[in-house]
Coordinates of all heavy atoms in Angstrom, one line a residue:
A1 N -10.4 236.0 177.8 CA -10.5 237.5 177.5 C -11.9 238.0 177.7 O -12.0 239.2 178.3 CB -10.1 237.7 176.0
V2 N -12.9 237.3 177.3 CA -14.3 237.7 177.5 C -14.5 237.8 179.0 O -15.1 238.7 179.5 CB -15.2 236.8 176.8 CG1 -16.7 237.0 177.2 CG2 -15.1 237.2 175.2
E3 N -14.2 236.7 179.7 CA -14.5 236.6 181.1 C -13.8 237.7 181.9 O -14.4 238.2 182.9 CB -14.2 235.2 181.7 CG -15.1 234.2 181.1 CD -14.7 232.7 181.6 OE1 -13.5 232.5 182.0 OE2 -15.5 231.8 181.5
A4 N -12.5 238.0 181.5 CA -11.8 239.0 182.2 C -12.4 240.4 182.0 O -12.5 241.3 182.8 CB -10.3 239.0 181.7
L5 N -12.9 240.7 180.7 CA -13.5 241.9 180.3 C -14.8 242.2 181.1 O -15.0 243.4 181.5 CB -13.9 242.0 178.8 CG -14.2 243.3 178.3 CD1 -13.1 244.3 178.4 CD2 -14.6 243.1 176.8
F6 N -15.6 241.2 181.4 CA -16.9 241.4 181.9 C -17.0 240.9 183.4 O -17.9 241.0 184.1 CB -18.1 240.9 181.1 CG -18.1 241.5 179.8 CD1 -17.7 240.7 178.6 CD2 -18.6 242.7 179.6 CE1 -17.9 241.3 177.4 CE2 -18.7 243.3 178.3 CZ -18.2 242.6 177.3
G7 N -16.0 240.2 183.9 CA -16.1 239.5 185.2 C -16.7 238.2 185.0 O -17.8 238.0 184.3
Q8 N -16.2 237.2 185.7 CA -16.7 235.8 185.7 C -18.0 235.5 186.6 O -17.9 236.0 187.6 CB -15.6 234.8 186.0 CG -15.6 233.5 185.3 CD -14.4 232.7 185.6 OE1 -14.5 231.8 186.5 NE2 -13.3 232.9 184.9
A9 N -18.9 235.1 185.8 CA -20.1 234.6 186.6 C -20.0 233.4 187.5 O -19.0 232.6 187.2 CB -21.3 234.5 185.6
A10 N -20.9 233.2 188.4 CA -20.8 232.0 189.3 C -21.0 230.7 188.5 O -20.6 229.7 189.0 CB -21.8 232.2 190.4
A11 N -21.9 230.7 187.6 CA -22.2 229.6 186.8 C -22.2 229.8 185.3 O -22.5 231.1 184.9 CB -23.4 228.9 187.2
P12 N -21.9 228.9 184.4 CA -21.9 229.2 183.0 C -23.3 229.6 182.5 O -24.3 229.0 182.9 CB -21.6 227.8 182.5 CG -20.8 227.0 183.4 CD -21.5 227.6 184.8
N13 N -23.4 230.7 181.8 CA -24.7 231.0 181.2 C -24.6 231.3 179.7 O -25.5 232.0 179.2 CB -25.2 232.3 181.9 CG -24.4 233.4 181.9 OD1 -23.4 233.5 181.2 ND2 -24.6 234.5 182.6
F14 N -23.5 231.0 179.1 CA -23.4 231.2 177.6 C -22.6 229.9 177.0 O -21.6 229.6 177.6 CB -22.5 232.4 177.4 CG -22.5 232.8 175.8 CD1 -23.5 233.4 175.2 CD2 -21.4 232.1 175.1 CE1 -23.4 233.6 173.8 CE2 -21.3 232.4 173.7 CZ -22.3 233.0 173.0
T15 N -23.1 229.4 176.0 CA -22.4 228.2 175.4 C -22.0 228.6 174.0 O -22.7 229.2 173.2 CB -23.3 227.1 175.4 OG1 -23.7 226.7 176.6 CG2 -22.6 225.9 174.7
W16 N -20.7 228.4 173.7 CA -20.1 228.7 172.4 C -19.7 227.5 171.8 O -18.8 226.7 172.2 CB -18.8 229.6 172.6 CG -18.2 230.0 171.3 CD1 -18.9 230.3 170.1 CD2 -16.9 230.4 171.0 NE1 -18.0 230.7 169.2 CE2 -16.7 230.9 169.8 CE3 -15.7 230.4 172.0 CZ2 -15.5 231.3 169.3 CZ3 -14.6 230.9 171.4 CH2 -14.4 231.2 170.1
T17 N -20.5 227.0 170.8 CA -20.1 225.8 170.0 C -19.3 226.0 168.8 O -19.4 227.1 168.1 CB -21.5 225.2 169.4 OG1 -22.3 224.9 170.5 CG2 -21.2 223.9 168.7
I18 N -18.2 225.2 168.8 CA -17.2 225.5 167.7 C -17.0 224.3 166.8 O -16.9 223.2 167.3 CB -15.8 225.7 168.4 CG1 -15.9 227.0 169.4 CG2 -14.8 226.0 167.4 CD1 -14.6 227.1 170.3
N19 N -17.1 224.6 165.6 CA -17.0 223.5 164.6 C -15.9 223.8 163.8 O -15.4 224.9 163.5 CB -18.3 223.5 163.6 CG -19.6 223.2 164.4 OD1 -19.7 222.2 165.1 ND2 -20.6 224.1 164.3
Q20 N -15.2 222.7 163.1 CA -14.2 222.9 162.1 C -14.8 222.3 160.8 O -15.2 221.3 160.8 CB -13.0 222.1 162.7 CG -11.7 222.3 161.7 CD -10.4 221.6 162.3 OE1 -10.6 220.5 162.7 NE2 -9.4 222.4 162.6
I21 N -14.6 223.1 159.9 CA -15.0 222.7 158.5 C -13.9 222.9 157.5 O -12.9 223.7 157.6 CB -16.2 223.6 157.9 CG1 -15.8 225.1 157.7 CG2 -17.4 223.5 158.9 CD1 -16.9 225.9 157.2
P22 N -13.8 222.0 156.5 CA -12.8 222.1 155.5 C -12.7 223.3 154.7 O -13.7 223.9 154.4 CB -13.0 220.8 154.7 CG -14.4 220.6 154.7 CD -14.8 221.0 156.0
E23 N -11.5 223.8 154.4 CA -11.4 224.9 153.6 C -11.9 224.5 152.2 O -11.9 223.4 151.7 CB -9.9 225.5 153.5 CG -8.9 224.5 153.0 CD -7.6 225.1 153.2 OE1 -7.4 226.2 152.5 OE2 -6.7 224.6 153.9
P24 N -12.5 225.4 151.4 CA -13.1 225.1 150.0 C -12.2 224.3 149.1 O -12.7 223.4 148.4 CB -13.4 226.4 149.6 CG -13.6 227.2 150.7 CD -12.6 226.8 151.6
G25 N -10.8 224.5 149.1 CA -10.0 223.9 148.2 C -10.0 222.3 148.6 O -10.1 221.5 147.7
T26 N -9.9 222.1 149.8 CA -10.0 220.7 150.3 C -11.3 220.0 149.9 O -11.5 218.9 149.5 CB -9.7 220.6 151.9 OG1 -8.4 221.1 152.1 CG2 -9.7 219.1 152.3
F27 N -12.4 220.7 150.3 CA -13.8 220.3 150.1 C -14.0 219.9 148.6 O -14.5 218.8 148.2 CB -14.7 221.3 150.5 CG -16.2 220.9 150.4 CD1 -16.9 220.1 151.5 CD2 -16.9 221.1 149.3 CE1 -18.1 219.7 151.4 CE2 -18.3 220.7 149.2 CZ -18.9 220.0 150.3
L28 N -13.6 220.8 147.7 CA -13.8 220.6 146.3 C -12.9 219.5 145.8 O -13.4 218.8 144.9 CB -13.4 221.9 145.6 CG -14.4 223.1 145.9 CD1 -14.0 224.4 145.0 CD2 -15.8 222.7 145.4
L29 N -11.7 219.3 146.4 CA -10.9 218.3 145.9 C -11.4 216.9 146.3 O -11.4 216.0 145.6 CB -9.5 218.4 146.6 CG -8.4 217.3 146.3 CD1 -8.1 217.5 144.7 CD2 -7.2 217.5 147.0
V30 N -12.1 216.8 147.5 CA -12.7 215.6 148.0 C -13.9 215.3 147.1 O -14.1 214.2 146.6 CB -13.1 215.6 149.4 CG1 -14.0 214.5 149.9 CG2 -11.9 215.7 150.3
A31 N -14.6 216.4 146.8 CA -15.9 216.2 146.0 C -15.4 215.7 144.6 O -16.1 214.9 144.1 CB -16.6 217.5 146.0
T32 N -14.4 216.3 144.1 CA -13.9 215.9 142.7 C -13.6 214.4 142.7 O -13.9 213.6 141.8 CB -12.8 216.8 142.3 OG1 -13.2 218.2 142.2 CG2 -12.4 216.4 140.9
G33 N -12.9 214.0 143.8 CA -12.3 212.7 143.9 C -13.5 211.7 143.9 O -13.6 210.7 143.3
L34 N -14.5 212.0 144.7 CA -15.7 211.3 144.8 C -16.4 211.1 143.4 O -16.9 210.1 143.1 CB -16.7 211.7 145.9 CG -16.2 211.7 147.3 CD1 -17.1 212.4 148.3 CD2 -16.0 210.3 147.7
G35 N -16.5 212.2 142.7 CA -17.1 212.3 141.4 C -16.5 211.4 140.4 O -17.0 210.6 139.7
L36 N -15.1 211.4 140.5 CA -14.3 210.5 139.5 C -14.5 209.1 139.9 O -14.6 208.2 139.1 CB -12.8 210.9 139.7 CG -12.4 212.2 139.1 CD1 -11.1 212.6 139.3 CD2 -12.7 212.2 137.6
L37 N -14.6 208.7 141.3 CA -14.7 207.3 141.7 C -16.1 206.9 141.2 O -16.2 205.8 140.9 CB -14.7 207.4 143.3 CG -14.8 206.0 144.0 CD1 -13.8 205.0 143.5 CD2 -14.8 206.0 145.4
A38 N -17.1 207.7 141.4 CA -18.4 207.4 140.9 C -18.5 207.0 139.4 O -19.1 206.1 138.9 CB -19.4 208.5 141.3
A39 N -17.7 207.9 138.7 CA -17.7 207.8 137.2 C -17.0 206.4 136.8 O -17.4 205.7 136.0 CB -16.9 208.9 136.7
V40 N -15.9 206.1 137.6 CA -15.3 204.8 137.4 C -16.1 203.6 137.7 O -16.2 202.6 137.0 CB -13.9 204.7 138.2 CG1 -13.4 203.4 138.2 CG2 -12.9 205.7 137.8
R41 N -16.9 203.7 138.8 CA -17.7 202.6 139.1 C -18.9 202.5 138.1 O -19.5 201.4 137.9 CB -18.4 203.0 140.5 CG -17.5 202.7 141.6 CD -17.9 203.0 143.0 NE -17.1 202.7 144.0 CZ -17.3 202.9 145.3 NH1 -18.4 203.3 145.8 NH2 -16.4 202.5 146.2
R42 N -19.2 203.6 137.5 CA -20.4 203.5 136.4 C -20.0 202.9 135.1 O -20.8 202.6 134.1 CB -21.1 204.8 136.2 CG -22.0 205.3 137.4 CD -22.8 206.4 137.0 NE -22.1 207.5 136.5 CZ -21.7 208.6 137.2 NH1 -21.9 208.5 138.5 NH2 -21.0 209.5 136.8

């Protein structure tokens, strides 16, 4: 869509880095699990 709007250049001149991060519910669930595991180990 971007290339069509502005016309495609002869060589790449813009880099778009894309990351995937966990949604907070998943992140907090994992963090809670790790916390419980640490408690058990102690």
Side-chain angles (χ1 to χ4, degrees):
V2 166
E3 291 176 341
L5 189 65
F6 297 109
Q8 210 175 94
N13 60 4
F14 182 90
T15 299
W16 186 28
T17 300
I18 301 168
N19 300 305
Q20 190 174 52
I21 63 174
E23 57 186 302
T26 301
F27 184 87
L28 293 176
L29 182 62
V30 171
T32 301
L34 292 175
L36 291 174
L37 180 60
V40 169
R41 287 180 173 177
R42 287 197 302 268

